[in-house]
Amino acid sequence: MNTQATKFYRNFFSDLSIDRSEAGELTAFLNKLQPPPGKLVWLRSQAFRVGNEFLTDDKEKNKSLLRAINYIVHAIETNCLQPKNVDRVDVETDTLKEFYANLYQDLTVNAAENQDILRFFQKHPPSDLITARATAFQVACDFLSEDRTTNVALLGCINAAVNSLESALYEPRDYHLKAPQEDLSGFSLEQAVQKLWELDANRLESGDDYVINVQGGKKPYWKEDSATDPLFQSVDSEVWQRPTYKAFHTLLDNYSSEIGASESVSGAESREVLAFLDAICQTAPMQFCHYYCRAKHPDRTPEDLAEFKTLLNKIWFELYRRGDTNEKDSSGFEHVFLGEVRDGEVTGFHNWIQFYLEEKKGELDYRGYLKPKAKNDAESNGNDHLLTLQFHWKGVEKFAGTFFVGVSPEFEMALYTMCFLIGEEENNVELDTGVDVFGLW
């Protein structure tokens, strides 16, 4: 999706003019792209980032560029968002112009100013949303200069203003993945997994959204630490604002890692689980998972999406006994994604987000990667989306742990749900990530 959108924007900005046919192409592109709710902020921001490439020292051409970006933002709002149900007021155009002009004065928008913009639109929700957003671009035209650096900063300010306006006054439309044309009942698990990979529009980009440093490779029985630095060098803070990542993040403090320690679920934690399930079911991977499981095993998979969420809740979040006591001390989600400690061993723990956060807190020591499962036997590097590695956590060594890197929470939930409902005891599945071909099981 990233490559498709970037290519389309470059073509769209190439002549800085918009006619009826190009407007239709933009709508058709968005309908075909089917961006999930978690991708809409990126999709709009990318229009500004690509727009930076087309800035010149010609003020009139730069005005045309702003009009083209405004048109893309309008199309995204029209096709992918809907106004929130809030009481609106008539806001004078001059008031909006003055507000934007003050915002653009120093060509920077810090965190406090972002909150000020958000509060302004929450306190004065304009009745005419289109005019409110278009005015941000109109006023910006007065601040264009012949200096490229100034104009790049100005585009950043416009994007910040539009982001706050949309956050305050819009919400994503319900997402519906178009029903696959293929007969999914004939799909192998491997074919379905490959399709999930293709549908994971919310997957992070190595080098842009995160940076890892795999450092030294080793064999499982080697005891020495082959990595002096952390695995994760950085993760873009914007990632944690994406709906599914944000909802996933809230779940991570709900569990005890010790097997045998009784777990309980509070009302607030139950609501967090439901919010997470709602968020991931508004994405293509989980909706494909539902289609696929329903086609393969209709007796196990309810047709209704709400009932499917209930099934997901039972599979992943229902507590059960894993230890030697009578205490309910575990769940599928806790084991697979967060990890547990039992008899001096780390069990489960197959999620990169949990790894990153524990490493960031200083609770986890990365000790090097193991020889990868890539079919070409290439050395692991920062572009790999699947790693097998060693680490030290909670005072215990994990000698071989495998997890995806940079994939979205919905991808992993869909993948493991399909394996649980459809997979066999032994599955031979290969995944082509576009960089390597990995054997998953």
Side-chain angles (χ1 to χ4, degrees), residues 121-416:
F121 287 116
Q122 289 172 335
K123 187 176 180 180
H124 311 286
S127 54
D128 188 343
L129 297 181
I130 295 175
T131 298
R133 182 247 307 138
T135 302
F137 288 87
Q138 179 185 347
V139 173
C141 289
D142 297 332
F143 288 82
L144 287 167
S145 79
E146 295 181 355
D147 179 62
R148 174 179 170 76
T149 301
T150 298
N151 292 336
V152 169
L154 178 61
L155 260 63
C157 292
I158 304 169
N159 186 33
V162 173
N163 181 68
S164 293
L165 184 151
E166 290 180 353
S167 297
L169 304 174
Y170 285 94
E171 61 188 7
R173 294 180 182 274
D174 284 343
Y175 181 84
H176 299 288
L177 178 67
K178 293 177 182 176
Q181 299 298 310
E182 309 94 328
D183 178 9
L184 295 183
S185 64
F187 258 43
S188 67
L189 183 59
E190 181 172 285
Q191 288 175 300
V193 171
Q194 191 64 50
K195 184 66 175 178
L196 277 187
W197 183 263
E198 296 166 6
L199 289 172
D200 190 18
N202 220 7
R203 183 170 59 247
L204 305 189
E205 296 288 331
S206 174
D208 293 331
D209 299 312
Y210 70 94
V211 177
I212 61 173
N213 180 12
V214 297
Q215 300 163 78
K218 61 193 304 188
K219 298 292 185 181
Y221 51 83
W222 292 359
K223 300 296 184 181
E224 73 275 7
D225 189 344
S226 298
T228 57
D229 296 322
L231 173 65
F232 281 91
Q233 304 300 295
S234 65
V235 176
D236 189 344
S237 60
E238 179 273 334
V239 167
W240 313 116
Q241 298 308 310
R242 301 188 189 188
T244 58
Y245 287 82
K246 187 175 183 178
F248 181 89
H249 194 186
T250 64
L251 302 178
L252 302 185
D253 62 356
N254 293 350
Y255 303 94
S256 167
S257 62
E258 291 295 327
I259 291 179
S262 179
E263 302 272 13
S264 61
V265 181
S266 69
E269 290 170 346
S270 293
R271 289 188 292 273
E272 289 173 353
V273 167
L274 294 178
F276 173 66
L277 293 175
D278 284 342
I280 63 173
C281 285
Q282 283 287 300
T283 67
M286 280 308 304
Q287 291 190 14
F288 176 81
C289 168
H290 184 207
Y291 281 133
Y292 180 64
C293 293
R294 176 70 183 170
K296 296 291 283 189
H297 283 299
D299 56 323
R300 303 181 193 172
T301 311
E303 182 177 7
D304 181 71
L305 183 59
E307 293 181 13
F308 184 61
K309 289 181 193 176
T310 300
L311 177 62
L312 292 174
N313 199 345
K314 181 177 181 180
I315 292 172
W316 288 106
F317 296 100
E318 191 172 274
L319 296 176
Y320 60 84
R321 183 174 63 84
R322 184 183 292 275
D324 297 326
T325 69
N326 290 323
E327 303 289 349
K328 290 184 176 180
D329 57 0
S330 185
S331 69
F333 180 85
E334 178 184 7
H335 177 76
V336 172
F337 290 91
L338 277 69
E340 297 171 305
V341 176
R342 178 178 185 175
D343 298 331
E345 292 185 358
V346 177
T347 65
F349 204 134
H350 301 290
N351 178 254
W352 74 267
I353 296 175
Q354 169 74 344
F355 188 101
Y356 163 72
L357 294 172
E358 289 295 290
E359 187 177 58
K360 186 178 180 181
K361 290 188 296 185
E363 299 289 336
L364 184 150
D365 177 29
Y366 169 60
R367 298 175 65 82
Y369 73 89
L370 305 185
K371 296 302 181 181
K373 292 184 178 180
K375 292 190 73 176
N376 60 11
D377 289 328
E379 295 297 300
S380 286
N381 57 54
N383 293 321
D384 282 351
H385 278 289
L386 189 71
L387 291 175
T388 300
L389 40 77
Q390 283 187 359
F391 58 92
H392 198 261
W393 181 60
K394 302 283 186 182
V396 180
E397 191 88 3
K398 177 87 170 180
F399 289 102
T402 300
F403 55 73
F404 288 95
V405 180
V407 298
S408 69
E410 57 265 31
F411 171 83
E412 290 197 278
M413 284 289 287
L415 172 62
Y416 304 141

